[in-house]
Amino acid sequence: MDTAGSFLPIIAALPFLGALFPGLMIQAGRNTCAAFTAAPTILALVLLLLCAPAVLHGEVLQFQLPWLPKLGLNVNFMLDGLGLLFAGLILGIGLLIILYARFYLSREDPMGQFYTYLLLFQGAMVGIVLSDNILLLLVFWELTSLSSFLLIGYWKHLPEGRQGARMALVVTGTGGLAMIAGMLILGNIVGSYDLSVILTQKDIIQADPMYLPALLLILVGCFTKSAQFPFHFWLPHAMAAPTPVSAYLHSATMVKAGLFLMARMWPVLAGTPEWFYIVATTGLITMLIGAKIALFKDDLKALLAFSTVSHLGLITMLLGFGTKMAAVAAVFHIINHATFKAALFMTAGIVDHETHTRDIKRLGGLRHLMPITFVIVTFAALSMAGIPLLNGFLSKEMMLEEASHTIWQGNHWIVPVLATLGALFSVAYSFRYIVHVFWGPQRDDYPSKPHDPGFGMWAAPAFLVVLVVAIGLAPFLAEPLVRASAGAVIGGTLPEFHLKIWHGITPALFMSGAAVLGGAILLALHAPLMRLWLATPRPEAKTMFDAITRAATRASRAFTSGVHNGALTRNGATFTVTVLAAGWLAWSSGETLSASREMLPIAAVPAIGWMLLIVATIGLVAFHRSRFLALVLMGIVGLIVSLGFVYFSAPDLALTQISVEVVTIILLLLALNFIPRTTPVESHPARRMRDALIAVAGGVAVTGLTYAILISDFAFESISAFHLANSYKGGGGTNVVNVILVDFRGFDTYGEIIVLGIAALVIFALTDTVLKGRGGRWLANWDKRKYREAGDRHPLMMVVATRVMMPIALMVGAFIFLRGHNEPGGGFIAGLIVAIAFLMQYMASGFAWAEARQRVTYHATIGVGVLVASVTGLGAWLAGKPFLTSAYGYITLPPIEKFEWATAMAFDTGVFLTVVGAVMLALNSLSSMARRTGETVNIFPMDINPARADADGTDEGNA
Amino acid sequence: MEMLLASAIGALSAAGIYLMLRLRSFPVIIGISLLSYAVNLFLFATGRLAVNAPPVLRDGVETYTDPLPQALVLTAIVISFGMTAVIVIMALGSYLSSRSDTVNITRDTPAEQEGDA
């Protein structure tokens, strides 16, 4: 990889990095902001120019960096002549636009945003033209659609801006999807996604039966982006954007992306009849339609928009011809069009800015009022018309020359005649811009008194017009660039050619002359023609587009609200049925392994447990309306599940399940304090029947699936053997489950405790919100007597028992925690046990009483837990190991026996703290609701205080 | 024994689905809890069943049950608790704020956002 090649990713990255600055720098003023936008562009341009000499000598610079090599997605950049031309246009015109926009945007427009969007867009465009990997190219392609959406819709307050942006996004986004499919097919044919490989495989690609589908899909992408018929309608609507955006997107960048891709793919896709008839015909139709409509548009920007459509059609047609000389002409016209069209858009912006209107009917006679603008417009528009000594003439002559010997379906006349007609319209609308805006009598009813703008605003178009004239007078100046980029398009030897003004008396010259003459006549007849145009009905793209999108929206809304209308029950039913259907499909189309395992014999005790579980489950369904009963039954289910874990050799799971069970039931009991105790009968029997059917189907399916898994061995070798073999050797523990949790899959556990902590914080936040709102006020007026059921709130026996239990429970927790690495136990279980020990105090003496004696907040406990786990994980970095790699060793403490230390234990401490904090925070949040109802803080630990002189057992103990 | 476990998981799922489709928050919570049991047991069962072979290494013992699903299910149990706690508070909050514990809030006006938005 050469040094120049390593510039390429920097060039592509600079605009993206630069996009960070304008938003910040706008604080320092508009000039600073513009300067900080220009800086990365200038830097990228300088780097590009440093690469230019090598590229102009025919070298291809490359940069390669594997990203996802298995997918074929690599950050590969290359710079050849075509890339140089486009990158130069994008960055060069981008710079001029930055300058122009500085003076165009008014004080009310958020300039920082504008420049950020502009740089994002610029980066995406540069990425497209530098990509050597088509998948990478697609990424940038989609980025241009998104960033152009932001740019077109920049004036968010204008409905046209929003609609135009949406239309552009829909059309180019749809094309982008087609393009992805086409590119994937192409990559599949070749077996590589690298452009430099694909471009050498012309024969394989064109012989492949998938050539036509790939071609069509890619062309849909190109045509939508480059506004080719019948997708051309989005471009004029995108004119609602500020003029700098229009000038940038529609002269040099966005719409040229489609052309770029057609040029890029030209060596492998072009040359077939399919290519010729699709591309050349589309280009020809687009050129004609665009030019014709442009003539009848009164809005200056609409005129330019349709003329852009027309010129894009011209270039597409040239690429479609498939001959080498036509490709040269196409490349040359890309340069010329970018220069004069960017200048014209900018002048349209100037006219709009100074006179406050873009309506040609309200303009005219500006030549003395705005002489500088007039000169710029004259040169640029004459170049667009194709008048000699300007650059537009040169490429238009080449186009007509190519058209003059193109045969369409055996017809020698049709292409040359239609091409001349297109050129004729082009002359007419170009002249119209000059004549109807600047000539004629001076008026006195301009919306604003027009005069030339300041230098900053006309500098950019003036510079471009200088280029227009320079290339027109001395075409050899542009020749090296044209040669380099045309060489890259053709991918072989260039035909013999020289860019020059005089080609002798050729058919093209006559066609050109006819076009100029005809155009002038057409303009003279403009008024009657315009009346005719207005009188004839014509299809309005926007109404059709709106009708289609509206129909699509209605259809999808009908479907969506049919399957999920926001009702939880309907969502649940839809989801269950869908999963069942998918499962059924898999079951009926796939194959299952035959029974290969020996079944365990059914023992008596587990069978009893099974019966209990089934009875409890059925009871739950039958009696779920009585909510306390449902809780008791759920407790039975949880208990049997825990016992099941014990029986099937999962002691850790059993310990976890049973402690979670306790906490869950307490939580639900607390909640039941506030919600109704019974569930009313609401749903219709038919509905219950339907739900029962779904439920039974689900149950049968799950049974079948589980059984199918259980009767056969693993289809592939399991990775469990590794964990068993390395648990002691690598992790230093004999309890494999715990070692997996804290070591092998420590990262999973790390994520889980964070989730648990977040869940607890969510609960806290929800409770807080409820208490501050209507719910809190309701709670404050809670009628306690109605709900009080226990006469003795803090019974003596319970208080004493829990006090005695507390240290024992804590010690059990510590024991479970310490043995966790080698015996069933560990941080999760220990955390739950300790949380239960605390909970007992809460239940015995009341939340407030226990809370008053608690020194550490639960939020902090969660935070410290996660922090401890993180620090332990990071510690491995100090030893040069990956995150969370554990270390261990043994020490002998004299009174106790040999004792193991492991960093995993520190990690487990983090788990422990998080679990304690999360459980306690959740329950504490519930208790804060109880306190809101006016539950008082009892001063004494129990209702009857033995130490008190006047102990009489009345309620006053809770004062 | 496999059939017993499979049918138990099936029964828990069926009851879970049925209760999840009820109209009040409490049965929905119970239903989701039952589904959590079923899913945890199912995941556990993918390691196949073994009796008297806990995955705690002992000298001279060669056969152990699969430890991996157990480790996954252990965290799943704790996370299910976190989830249950969140939905309990959500149910409680919605009941206290709206004094109704129905789970379906009817949408009065469908969001009409046609044309320009």
Side-chain angles (χ1 to χ4, degrees), chain B residues 99-112:
Chain B
R99 298 194 201 180
S100 151
D101 64 344
T102 52
V103 293
N104 295 336
I105 295 168
T106 44
R107 199 186 284 162
D108 302 331
T109 46
E112 277 294 329

Side-chain angles (χ1 to χ4, degrees), chain A residues 246-604:
Chain A
S246 313
Y248 197 37
L249 263 58
H250 305 135
S251 66
T253 54
M254 169 100 162
V255 294
K256 293 276 170 73
L259 300 180
F260 168 80
L261 207 72
M262 281 190 268
R264 181 97 281 179
M265 292 294 171
W266 196 89
V268 287
L269 295 181
T272 59
E274 293 95 329
W275 171 273
F276 172 76
Y277 283 111
I278 298 170
V279 180
T281 312
T282 308
L284 188 60
I285 295 175
T286 312
M287 176 168 91
L288 275 174
I289 291 186
K292 190 188 72 178
I293 300 176
L295 183 59
F296 298 109
K297 285 289 167 188
D298 283 331
D299 179 2
L300 261 187
K301 278 179 80 177
L303 185 153
L304 291 176
F306 279 102
S307 87
T308 301
V309 170
S310 166
H311 279 264
L312 293 170
L314 186 160
I315 299 168
T316 303
M317 178 182 77
L318 281 173
L319 289 169
F321 285 165
T323 63
K324 291 182 174 182
M325 208 45 223
V328 174
V331 167
F332 193 29
H333 197 69
I334 286 173
I335 303 176
N336 297 337
H337 178 251
T339 50
F340 65 67
K341 189 52 63 67
L344 283 172
F345 268 119
M346 290 190 214
T347 56
I350 291 174
V351 170
D352 186 19
H353 200 259
E354 299 304 326
T355 66
H356 293 188
T357 181
R358 300 195 309 241
D359 191 345
I360 297 178
K361 284 203 294 283
R362 304 193 58 185
L363 293 166
L366 290 178
R367 70 184 182 286
H368 294 303
L369 294 168
M370 305 174 73
I372 300 172
T373 315
F374 169 60
V375 171
I376 296 172
V377 168
T378 308
F379 280 113
L382 288 182
S383 175
M384 175 158 81
I387 300 301
L389 301 184
L390 295 167
N391 62 357
F393 168 73
L394 302 167
S395 42
K396 192 196 64 179
E397 283 285 291
M398 288 164 82
M399 181 277 283
L400 292 173
E401 172 67 29
E402 287 308 305
S404 69
H405 45 73
T406 299
I407 302 161
W408 199 89
Q409 289 279 27
N411 189 321
H412 292 266
W413 289 103
I414 186 156
V415 176
V417 168
L418 290 178
T420 313
L421 196 61
L424 187 147
F425 280 118
S426 182
V427 170
Y429 64 67
S430 303
F431 285 177
R432 181 162 181 239
Y433 185 7
I434 305 173
V435 173
H436 286 189
V437 175
F438 290 94
W439 289 82
Q442 204 162 313
R443 305 166 63 138
D444 46 17
D445 61 343
Y446 302 117
S448 170
K449 180 86 181 115
H451 54 80
D452 269 322
F455 171 75
M457 208 157 169
W458 61 258
F463 175 76
L464 287 167
V465 163
V466 169
L467 286 181
V468 166
V469 178
I471 299 175
L473 288 175
F476 55 85
L477 288 176
E479 202 163 308
L481 187 59
V482 173
R483 277 187 185 279
S485 46
V489 173
I490 294 166
T493 46
L494 280 172
E496 195 52 42
F497 76 96
H498 282 288
L499 301 180
K500 53 188 180 192
I501 302 170
W502 181 248
H503 287 268
I505 310 286
T506 55
L509 193 66
F510 287 110
M511 290 155 80
S512 207
V516 174
L517 205 63
I521 296 170
L522 215 53
L523 184 63
L525 298 173
H526 188 266
L529 284 175
M530 187 79 185
R531 281 194 292 278
L532 185 67
W533 167 263
L534 290 176
T536 44
R538 46 188 190 280
E540 185 54 57
K542 183 160 168 25
T543 26
M544 285 192 264
F545 176 83
D546 284 347
I548 291 172
T549 44
R550 210 173 295 126
T553 315
R554 204 176 297 127
S556 45
R557 184 174 293 144
F559 178 76
T560 310
S561 56
V563 291
H564 69 86
N565 56 352
L568 184 71
T569 42
R570 186 175 291 193
N571 276 14
T574 312
F575 175 75
T576 314
V577 170
T578 313
V579 170
L580 283 174
W584 176 259
L585 184 72
W587 183 272
S588 51
S589 61
E591 34 184 302
T592 47
L593 293 173
S594 53
S596 58
R597 279 180 75 93
E598 209 175 310
M599 299 288 95
L600 294 172
I602 297 178

Side-chain angles (χ1 to χ4, degrees), chain A residues 162 166 550 568-569 600 610 627 649 661 674 682 691 703 709 712 720 734 736 752 774 778 823 926, chain B residues 1-2 4 7 10 22 24 37 48 50 53 55 57-58 66 70 75 79 92 95 99 101 104 115-116:
Chain A
R162 300 196 295 267
R166 213 159 46 198
R550 210 173 295 126
L568 184 71
T569 42
L600 294 172
W610 178 81
R627 294 180 171 182
S649 317
E661 204 51 49
F674 299 107
E682 277 174 315
D691 292 346
T703 306
I709 289 175
S712 56
S720 301
T734 52
V736 187
E752 309 238 22
R774 235 180 342 164
W778 192 33
E823 298 288 331
L926 262 177
Chain B
M1 197 64 86
E2 274 79 357
L4 288 191
S7 56
R22 299 301 89 212
R24 298 295 175 128
Y37 288 134
R48 310 301 189 269
L57 303 179
R58 297 265 181 274
D66 196 338
Q70 293 196 14
T75 49
I79 292 288
L92 197 52
Y95 177 69
R99 298 194 201 180
D101 64 344
N104 295 336
D116 160 52

Side-chain angles (χ1 to χ4, degrees), chain A residues 3 130 161 264 290 469 491 529 608 707 802 805 814 862 922:
Chain A
T3 23
L130 293 186
R264 181 97 281 179
V469 178
L529 284 175
I608 295 170
Y707 192 64
T802 51
M805 287 281 283
I862 298 175

Side-chain angles (χ1 to χ4, degrees), chain A residues 649-720:
Chain A
S649 317
D652 284 284
L653 293 189
L655 282 170
T656 317
Q657 182 71 61
I658 199 144
S659 34
V660 161
E661 204 51 49
V662 172
V663 183
T664 311
I665 297 289
I666 292 176
L667 183 84
L668 284 168
L669 266 174
L670 283 172
L672 263 188
N673 216 6
F674 299 107
I675 58 177
R677 308 292 160 87
T678 53
T679 309
V681 184
E682 277 174 315
S683 48
H684 199 261
R687 181 180 173 139
R688 289 206 291 275
M689 203 61 213
R690 184 203 74 178
D691 292 346
L693 270 177
I694 296 177
V696 168
V700 170
V702 172
T703 306
L705 178 64
T706 315
Y707 192 64
I709 289 175
L710 285 177
I711 58 170
S712 56
D713 278 311
F714 290 109
F716 303 98
E717 206 182 330
S718 148
I719 55 169
S720 301

Side-chain angles (χ1 to χ4, degrees), chain A residues 868-949:
Chain A
V868 166
S870 315
V871 168
T872 314
L874 291 175
W877 281 356
L878 294 179
K881 300 274 177 55
F883 188 64
L884 277 176
T885 312
S886 70
Y888 68 98
Y890 298 91
I891 43 170
T892 313
L893 290 177
I896 322 171
E897 51 188 298
K898 194 173 80 168
F899 189 71
E900 186 201 348
W901 68 269
T903 55
M905 187 166 278
F907 182 71
D908 226 8
T909 311
V911 174
F912 167 81
L913 288 173
T914 314
V915 171
V916 173
V919 173
M920 295 310 293
L921 186 57
L923 291 160
N924 183 46
S925 300
L926 262 177
S927 78
S928 64
M929 290 194 184
R931 253 170 293 145
R932 180 55 68 94
T933 63
E935 290 282 358
T936 44
V937 178
N938 44 329
I939 302 160
F940 305 106
M942 49 196 120
D943 296 338
I944 307 165
N945 185 17
R948 208 168 47 172

